[in-house]
Amino acid sequence: MPLQEFKAYHAHLYYSDHDGLSEAQHIAHQVAELFDVSVGRFHEKKVGPHPMWSVQISFSSVILAEIMPWLIQNRGTLDVLLHPLSGDELWDHTQGACWLGKSHTLDIRQFLPKI
């Protein structure tokens, strides 16, 4: 992929139970108070390529240098998938992905060409 400037990013907070859900809600509330972000739905099921329950936080690249260190320090026990929005979802969720905490295997079949 040619070098490009990404305009936006997603951070997906992963959790697997109601305690983790509460922690994700607390973290999402804090990040929304501190930064110009959009917090998505708190899923209590696997959604898209994500192998666990999750919530998506969307934000502009303008705040990446601020929000990433904040997430590193404040993610608690949650794992976080951070990726750009390049227009190529397969690349975003694989080559462009950055993990805070443990990495997880994503179900990327939906991004593969249909044969």
Side-chain angles (χ1 to χ4, degrees):
M1 174 173 273
L3 185 61
Q4 73 178 70
E5 186 174 320
F6 304 113
K7 293 186 177 168
Y9 287 81
H10 284 166
H12 301 271
L13 307 180
Y14 285 153
Y15 45 94
S16 59
D17 57 27
H18 287 92
D19 289 338
L21 171 61
S22 294
E23 185 174 10
Q25 290 170 329
H26 176 73
I27 292 167
H29 176 75
Q30 285 184 307
V31 79
E33 290 215 345
L34 294 170
F35 302 99
D36 182 17
V37 301
S38 175
V39 177
R41 290 190 203 120
F42 291 87
H43 297 286
E44 294 182 51
K45 63 181 180 177
K46 298 175 185 179
V47 174
H50 307 289
M52 300 174 67
W53 299 0
S54 64
V55 61
Q56 175 180 290
I57 299 170
S58 304
F59 56 94
S60 164
S61 63
V62 173
I63 63 169
L64 177 64
E66 297 174 61
I67 199 168
M68 189 160 179
W70 189 92
L71 285 169
I72 290 168
Q73 294 176 40
N74 294 282
R75 67 178 181 81
T77 64
L78 304 182
D79 300 320
V80 180
L81 167 62
L82 178 72
H83 68 81
L85 301 179
S86 72
D88 180 343
E89 291 198 79
L90 177 60
W91 188 90
D92 294 347
H93 288 84
T94 55
Q95 298 301 307
C98 174
W99 290 93
L100 307 178
K102 292 184 291 185
S103 62
H104 297 268
T105 301
L106 302 178
D107 181 358
I108 59 169
R109 289 177 294 178
Q110 71 190 57
F111 306 136
L112 299 175
K114 309 288 187 249
I115 299 177

